[in-house]
Amino acid sequence: MRPLNDSTTGHVDECRPHVSTLMAPFEYDELAPAELRTPMPQELLRGAVSYMNVAYAAPLGWRPLTLDIHVPKDGVGPHPVVVYVHGGSFLGGITAMGPWRSLPASGVAVVSVSYRLSGEAQFPEPIEDIRAAIRWARARAAEFNLNPSSIALWGSSAGAYLAEMAGITADLSIGQPIGDNLAESARVTAIINHYGISSFATLREDSFENSPAEKDALDRIVRQFLGFDPYREPGRLESTSPLGLAAQRDEVPPFIFMHGASDRRVGIGQSRRLHEGLIALGHRSKFVAVPGADHNDPIFSETAALKLVLDFLRETWAQPAPNLSNEADA
């Protein structure tokens, strides 16, 4: 699959080149004092040392993208890492969101990522943001006492979709790659999916007791993110399908899905479809239905849910490390 240099048409538009090609990137190291660009450690979470608002990429034409790093305070390290992708309907969200805040006290570092929202950039650009954050974490692992061989992705809702796509594509770009660490691999060892979208084609079909007005509102959000109407142009959905991409890959990281059985925002059928499809393709996947839980239910932040995630991660990280050379599949 070739890169999509134009995120809305899938081809190069010579009259409207990608904004990142208009001029050379800014050299911020030369333009701003080092003492203002150096992340400083803070103690904000139990069992963690945090570094806030660290720039991981500065795509030309957009604001610099930032992430927060929360490293376990205790233990020798290097520490395994979860790269967390927040939800927010592709329209909002901040790095402080998410059910990951107890991970550092359990020995797992967290890199919580901001990305371009759909008022700034459309599919597939935000996926490339997540891949850039993974490469950044791997390139800077020694500086923050992280284990570059044990990096997992965890996303919630819209963030889960971005995590699916970034984790499955690994080193295969589907948009315009960004960041200064393109020689690093964007491969991950596991993917945690909390109530995520997996098929825009069936999102209405899988909705749970939603009114027509609620379904129409969700359609508008999807059109804003994709840059086209999936019902009028269904042929353009192929490149947006995590399962379709997984079918093209020999290796896909193991998944764990956790989805509320009463989710009225993103129906549980979304996670079930992708889980069953991955199993049919011979990939590893675990599915956990949460009875009675709605979208973004507080139960996903409770101890029992966190234990399921930690057990899954530790089991995965106990396996031999994958080949992390930056080589796209043929």
Side-chain angles (χ1 to χ4, degrees):
M1 182 181 292
R2 62 183 176 81
L4 305 180
N5 293 299
D6 186 304
S7 65
T8 59
T9 65
H11 64 272
V12 177
D13 185 343
E14 294 181 356
C15 296
R16 186 169 58 88
H18 193 277
V19 64
S20 65
T21 66
L22 295 179
M23 61 179 286
F26 288 97
E27 296 292 342
Y28 288 111
D29 288 349
E30 300 175 2
L31 296 172
E35 57 269 25
L36 297 182
R37 294 181 290 101
T38 303
M40 301 301 294
Q42 305 176 63
E43 294 193 15
L44 305 173
L45 299 174
R46 181 175 64 88
V49 174
S50 300
Y51 302 83
M52 308 298 288
N53 299 313
V54 182
Y56 72 88
L60 189 65
W62 287 279
R63 60 187 168 86
L65 301 174
T66 64
L67 50 78
D68 299 335
I69 311 166
H70 307 282
V71 183
K73 186 176 180 181
D74 299 323
V76 176
H79 302 286
V81 187
V82 161
V83 174
Y84 181 77
V85 190
H86 66 75
S89 298
F90 306 111
L91 289 166
I94 57 176
T95 54
M97 292 167 56
W100 47 262
R101 286 181 286 277
S102 297
L103 287 184
S106 299
V108 178
V110 174
V111 173
S112 189
V113 183
S114 68
Y115 51 88
R116 286 172 287 180
L117 303 172
S118 62
E120 304 171 274
Q122 295 171 321
F123 176 90
E125 305 286 7
I127 298 165
E128 292 299 328
D129 298 348
I130 307 310
R131 286 160 28 82
I134 297 165
R135 292 193 300 266
W136 184 95
R138 184 160 279 125
R140 305 287 290 273
E143 180 179 347
F144 294 99
N145 200 19
L146 310 177
N147 185 345
S149 298
S150 298
I151 299 179
L153 268 173
W154 182 352
S156 301
S157 191
Y161 173 77
L162 300 179
E164 294 163 5
M165 294 290 284
I168 291 172
T169 55
D171 291 321
L172 184 67
S173 296
I174 63 171
Q176 185 76 24
I178 65 169
D180 297 328
N181 304 291
L182 297 180
E184 296 286 347
S185 175
R187 294 174 183 262
V188 297
T189 54
I191 301 173
I192 300 105
N193 181 314
H194 270 190
Y195 43 87
I197 294 170
S198 67
S199 171
F200 293 110
T202 63
L203 195 55
R204 286 180 68 101
E205 178 183 343
D206 290 331
S207 63
F208 180 81
E209 296 183 354
N210 282 7
S211 68
E214 288 171 321
K215 292 182 179 182
D216 290 344
L218 189 57
D219 288 347
R220 291 193 292 272
I221 290 169
V222 169
R223 289 197 298 270
Q224 175 65 32
F225 171 67
L226 294 179
F228 65 90
D229 189 329
Y231 299 105
R232 294 183 178 181
E233 301 180 82
R236 297 179 64 180
L237 283 174
E238 180 181 0
S239 64
T240 74
S241 169
L243 187 57
L245 291 170
Q248 303 174 34
R249 307 307 301 268
D250 293 330
E251 295 183 8
V252 169
F255 271 75
I256 182 171
F257 295 87
M258 299 182 69
H259 210 124
S262 299
D263 192 322
R264 298 183 67 252
R265 184 70 171 174
V266 178
I268 193 171
Q270 289 281 295
S271 289
R272 185 176 286 115
R273 288 173 186 273
L274 182 52
H275 162 71
E276 292 176 351
L278 291 169
I279 294 294
L281 291 170
H283 302 305
R284 289 181 290 163
S285 181
K286 180 177 181 179
F287 181 81
V288 180
V290 184
D294 198 353
H295 202 69
N296 195 31
D297 196 287
I299 196 171
F300 291 98
S301 298
E302 293 179 0
T303 301
L306 181 65
K307 184 178 185 303
L308 284 172
V309 170
L310 282 170
D311 289 348
F312 166 76
L313 288 173
R314 286 166 177 158
E315 178 183 352
T316 302
W317 286 328
Q319 305 299 316
N323 178 11
L324 296 176
S325 60
N326 187 354
E327 298 179 1
D329 290 352

